[in-house]
Amino acid sequence: MIGIIPNEDPSVSEFPHVHGIAGSEVRPQVAMGAAAPTPFMRPPAAKPGSGPPPGFLTVQGLPLLKPPYGRITAIDLGKGDLKWQVAHGETPDNVRNHPALKGLKIPRTGRAGNLGPLCTKSLVICGEAGFYTNEYGIRGAMLRAYDKATGEEKGAVYMPAPQSGSPMTYMLNNRQYIVVAIGGGNYSAELVAFRLPGMA
């Protein structure tokens, strides 16, 4: 069970308690926008005899854990009820293109990552935490907008790299803009601005 555990390794954090799994070695956390370690990524080197960390179990290189691997969840804070959930993030290339899944239509699995969404009056806007290759052979990530009340996807735009910082929004001359920090892999960090066709 993931929670707050004592930190016995000052090289990981200066804080006495960190996010982790009781009984497991304390590990550094990933930065905002970085793809989190997931079942379809190579696990970090483990101490001899310690076995793979939780979540890294695979069968023929495919994750043993059932997707979604990442999702956005909306909760009604007045009632404590779950309003909606969506798998957020495209299916990773090495899952989508795995030979054992050839001929199968794999729905969007979402992908794990440390992301900050932007909430407007009517939308939840969030980029993806990792690269994927689209149907045209282009690598990048998507910035998606969901209906705040229902979770229905209202739109998506391509970005050349994953989100690396929380999006922000502003108005100029009665037009709304969204700015998001992107970067990762061999792609240098930059800010990308999108102009919305109408009010959000």
Side-chain angles (χ1 to χ4, degrees), residues 112-133:
N114 186 12
L115 296 170
L118 165 69
C119 292
T120 70
K121 185 177 179 182
S122 60
L123 298 173
V124 175
I125 300 165
C126 195
E128 296 178 338
F131 287 93
Y132 85 101
T133 306

Side-chain angles (χ1 to χ4, degrees), residues 16-159:
H17 291 85
V18 293
H19 184 251
I21 301 171
S24 296
E25 183 178 345
V26 175
R27 297 180 184 204
Q29 296 296 302
V30 295
M32 169 76 73
T38 58
F40 38 82
M41 294 173 65
R42 181 189 307 241
K47 291 181 179 177
S50 65
F56 287 103
L57 299 176
T58 63
V59 175
Q60 298 178 10
L62 288 170
L64 186 61
L65 299 178
K66 180 180 178 182
Y69 306 123
R71 59 183 156 203
I72 294 178
T73 302
I75 298 172
D76 183 330
L77 296 178
K79 299 177 181 176
D81 295 338
L82 178 70
K83 291 282 286 184
W84 53 264
Q85 283 185 323
V86 294
H88 181 69
E90 286 294 336
T91 303
D93 290 348
N94 58 334
V95 171
R96 180 197 325 253
N97 301 324
H98 195 284
L101 302 177
K102 189 173 183 177
L104 297 177
K105 183 171 172 55
I106 307 297
R108 188 186 307 163
T109 63
R111 64 191 309 152
N114 186 12
L115 296 170
L118 165 69
C119 292
T120 70
K121 185 177 179 182
S122 60
L123 298 173
V124 175
I125 300 165
C126 195
E128 296 178 338
F131 287 93
Y132 85 101
T133 306
N134 69 17
E135 62 271 22
Y136 305 108
I138 301 170
R139 278 178 44 87
M142 300 299 286
L143 179 68
R144 299 185 185 279
Y146 303 97
D147 186 290
K148 194 172 175 181
T150 66
E152 177 188 357
E153 186 172 313
K154 292 297 189 179
V157 292
Y158 167 81
M159 302 185 298

